[in-house]
Amino acid sequence: MTQDLRVPWDEDPGDLYEHAPCGYLTTLPDGTIVRVNETFLAWTGYDRADLVGRRRFRDLLSPGDKIWYETHYAPLLSMQGDVHEVAFDVVCADGRRLSTLVNSVLGRDPGGSPRAVRTTIFDATERRGYEKELLAARHAAESSEQRVRALQQVVADLAAAPTATEVAEAVVRAPGLAFGAGHSSVWLVDPDRAQLNAVASTDPGGPAPDDIPTSATRPVAEVARRGDLHVFATRAEAEVEFPELAAAMRRTGCRTAVLLPLTTGFAGETIGAEVLGVLSFGFAEQRGLTDSELRVVRLLGHQAGQALDRARLYDDARRREERAIFLAGTTRALEEIPRLMPRAHRLVERIVPDVAEWAAVRLQVGPAGLLAEAGGPGPDPERLAERVATVVAGGAPQLTDDGPDPDCAVLPLTAGGKVLGTLALRMAPGRRTAAAEAQFLHDLADRAGLALENARLYEQERAIARTLQRSLLAGDLPTDPRFAVETHYQAAAHDLEVGGDWYDAFLITPDKLAVVVGDVVGRGIDAATTMGQLRSAIRALASAEAGPARLLERLDRFVDRVESARMATLAYCEIDLKSSEMTYACAGHLPPLLAEPGDSPRYLLDGRSGALGSRAGRTARVEHRAQLPAGSRLLLYTDGLIERRNRRIDKGFEVLARTYAGRRDAPLPGLTAGLAESLVGKEHADDVCLLCLALGTEERMERSIGADPVQIALLRKDLRGWLTSHQVDGESTQAVLLACSEAVANAIEHGYRDDPFGIVDVTATVTADTVEVKVTDRGNWKASEQDVARGRGLQLIRQVMDQVTFDRAEGTTVTMRRTRRRAR
């Protein structure tokens, strides 16, 4: 067994007690100190006489430890007989506190009653310091972890924010979550207007509508220009550099303020970094930010800047997509409207309010030009006129103006290198400027210019085709006491192109009359010219000996050389005026409708074969004969009169026969127009052409010319020949020609002032006593009748004509009558 080693000196037990490396107390069960060693006295500064028999152990403790002694220490010691490593602060003689660890053991007598308490006390000052350091480190770690979690949440919110406003809403919450800041605001840089816009704030009322120019001296603008983090720990520091900020801090109760630029790039980068916004936040208490907190703040600024950069790129991509969709939709919308002015109105209606708050299209078409405007109010008219003239002359856009309307842009509308007009618009407040939208506005102007030029060319071709078509339709119809011919042509509504429907009537011999109605495949000027070729071919090929079937065979050979006439349809009739016998043939056309006196109308279903040039079906040409009693009326028509998509053609035949029967006793003039009005109305999608042949005659001339003064001379020549053929005397002829010319000129000047592609209709009739001329336009007269009356034109008309009346029910109709010389 081992034995205790003996030290080379004698140990004094009393010395060991007094100078032990720990304090030692012996107390009675009530805590009264009965013995204390020198070590404890040296630590606390007490004298032995001050403690032994005079003080209890709990009297040496701090107030809080006294309570803990009574509630925990004493009961535990009584119950279990010992207590270990209890931390107490002992109050020393000089009032300072000594951190200790206490171990106590309760001694009992043989009877088990408490006799004494032996207590050892260890100095825990250094340990308590270590504990405080550990606790501080723990608190710092917890704070850092809290900031990291807050920043992670902010970074996640930033990653999910698609717009700059949502990024600002996420950033403005970060100082409160990470640092406990009490007030935060975010300004974003608007490079288009060179200003910072307040977009987010933690204030209950939201951010103040405070837009700051980037050149201002305010703290937010200064930080945006410098791109540096500014921390003002006190109001006095802020007063030195930014007195305005110090005043704001006093007003809001803020003691420490931070101004953080939101920059692109990575943390630590300054070269090439762009400031996209500024985050300001403050603390109600004065505090300084540690280096780690400053690093987190800078990291927040770069993370927010990168998120704003992504949002900006996303906004640019989304804006480009929206602009592309708008341009494509505008192109489609304009293509739906073929006419020039409706297309211009559609353009400005799409621009306002989707792009701008006001827009106007000015076109250099016609003597006064054309204007389509939407939105408002418009800019200063004089300044706008100057800019429009500059753009038209130079062809270069003006996106900004240093005048009263800085957001008003003027762009040229060009096509084929020629300036057709201008597009002027003013961007709405709060939206991007015209300079920022330069590329989009250039694309819009290019597409609009091309669309409007196409509409102008369409109008021009349409006017030419309609003039050609009407001139062909209004050829010299034969006049004879033995018959009368009434015709009507109605173009398709909804701005469709002219079609190939046509009619004609001519004398093959003095006693043989030919009437024809046909329909050429297609629309536009090609159809109109093809129709003219067919009309001329029929007149050239018709002869007294040939007959309808022979004529159709010759036309088949003709369409082999004129491909555009292939598949044309027609109904052709020859009437012997002596015998009243009719021979007819239909080449793929709808059957004629015959109304004989006293009988119901019936369709002539014989003499049918295929369309011209058709290589399918029955190719042999046949004809049929029918007797026309005196008083018979024969109606030839095109498919637009009866065909409908929502009903069978049999129903169309039935409706036409019933309507025609109801008008059998009506005067021939106006009969065909009345049928068209009853069966198709004005809003119809196809052309309608009718020719009615009847016994008796009423002579009338119908012409339609475009709203072009050059065509007046052509009308005068045409009208002169017609009057001469009816043996109207020279004096009356000159009077009618002068009056008609002046009336047509007034219609062009006043009725079609804003529509150079309008049509003027002229109708002339002759009786034994009078000549009557009607001039009709469908324009919008800007001059009143009194204004026109003060002009020279109406005075001349009233001087040379016996009666002049005006009808403004639909457009304007001037009716002029002249009594013939022999009647005078």
Side-chain angles (χ1 to χ4, degrees), residues 98-295:
L98 176 66
S99 298
T100 64
L101 286 178
V102 176
N103 295 305
S104 298
V105 177
L106 177 62
R108 297 180 182 274
D109 59 17
S113 298
R115 185 174 63 180
V117 178
R118 296 180 179 85
T119 302
T120 58
I121 301 174
F122 296 93
D123 186 355
T125 301
E126 293 184 2
R127 177 174 177 175
R128 190 65 59 86
Y130 296 150
E131 290 177 350
K132 288 182 179 180
E133 291 178 1
L134 291 174
L135 184 59
R138 178 180 177 182
H139 289 165
E142 290 176 350
S143 299
S144 177
E145 183 181 359
Q146 180 182 357
R147 286 195 297 271
V148 169
R149 286 199 301 268
L151 289 177
Q152 287 176 342
Q153 181 61 46
V154 171
V155 170
D157 293 341
L158 293 177
T163 65
T165 302
E166 293 176 342
V167 169
E169 293 290 346
V171 172
V172 80
R173 297 191 301 267
L177 297 174
F179 307 107
H183 171 76
S184 301
S185 297
V186 173
W187 285 263
L188 296 183
V189 175
D190 184 355
D192 298 336
R193 293 180 170 82
Q195 64 186 22
L196 290 105
N197 303 326
V199 295
S201 175
T202 56
D203 289 343
D210 188 12
D211 297 334
I212 305 172
T214 54
S215 59
T217 59
R218 295 181 59 177
V220 173
E222 289 281 357
V223 171
R225 289 196 299 271
R226 299 176 186 178
D228 296 330
L229 171 65
H230 285 63
V231 179
F232 302 98
T234 64
R235 295 172 185 169
E237 292 182 14
E239 188 73 38
V240 174
E241 190 170 359
F242 298 126
E244 185 179 356
L245 176 61
M249 292 172 65
R250 285 191 293 270
R251 186 172 60 253
T252 59
C254 176
R255 295 183 176 273
T256 298
V258 179
L259 295 177
L260 172 66
L262 310 179
T263 59
T264 58
F266 297 97
E269 290 185 352
T270 56
I271 299 177
E274 180 184 0
V275 177
L276 301 182
V278 176
L279 167 65
S280 71
F281 59 93
F283 302 92
E285 73 283 356
Q286 183 175 317
R287 59 166 295 182
L289 297 179
T290 64
D291 291 341
S292 64
E293 288 177 328
L294 290 176
R295 287 194 296 270

Side-chain angles (χ1 to χ4, degrees), residues 60 69 122 204 211 236 260 295 345 394 452 470 548 602 611 673 805 821:
L60 304 179
Y69 178 93
F122 296 93
D211 297 334
L260 172 66
R295 287 194 296 270
H345 283 292
L452 294 174
R470 286 187 176 274
R602 61 185 178 91
T805 60
R821 178 185 297 175

Side-chain angles (χ1 to χ4, degrees), residues 78 160 233 817:
S78 175
R817 295 184 179 87

Side-chain angles (χ1 to χ4, degrees), residues 190 193 197 407 427-433:
D190 184 355
R193 293 180 170 82
N197 303 326
D407 287 335
M427 309 303 286
R431 295 186 182 179
R432 302 185 75 200
T433 62

Side-chain angles (χ1 to χ4, degrees), residues 593-667:
L593 182 60
L594 176 62
E596 298 176 336
D599 292 334
S600 299
R602 61 185 178 91
Y603 289 99
L604 303 179
L605 301 176
D606 299 310
R608 303 192 57 78
S609 56
L612 296 181
S614 174
R615 299 186 177 91
R618 183 177 180 181
T619 58
R621 298 302 180 183
V622 294
E623 60 186 36
H624 193 76
R625 297 180 184 273
Q627 193 69 29
L628 295 181
S632 299
R633 288 185 175 181
L634 178 70
L635 180 68
L636 306 181
Y637 54 92
T638 56
D639 55 3
L641 185 66
I642 64 171
E643 287 187 355
R644 302 292 183 273
R645 292 184 178 182
N646 57 355
R647 73 182 184 193
R648 295 173 58 86
I649 194 171
D650 292 345
K651 183 65 175 179
F653 285 133
E654 178 184 342
V655 173
L656 173 59
R658 185 169 59 250
T659 306
Y660 190 45
R663 296 173 179 266
R664 63 166 48 189
D665 296 328

Side-chain angles (χ1 to χ4, degrees), residues 404-474:
D405 296 293
D407 287 335
C408 182
V410 181
L411 299 100
L413 298 173
T414 59
K418 178 183 177 182
V419 178
L420 179 66
T422 59
L423 168 62
L425 50 86
R426 183 175 59 223
M427 309 303 286
R431 295 186 182 179
R432 302 185 75 200
T433 62
E437 295 281 10
Q439 186 59 50
F440 163 69
L441 295 180
H442 288 163
D443 292 342
L444 176 61
D446 289 343
R447 296 195 182 202
L450 182 60
L452 294 174
E453 175 65 5
N454 289 339
R456 188 188 70 82
L457 294 175
Y458 166 80
E459 294 265 18
Q460 187 177 32
E461 179 180 343
R462 182 174 181 271
I464 294 173
R466 180 148 295 184
T467 301
L468 174 61
Q469 185 182 42
R470 286 187 176 274
S471 66
L472 293 174
L473 289 174

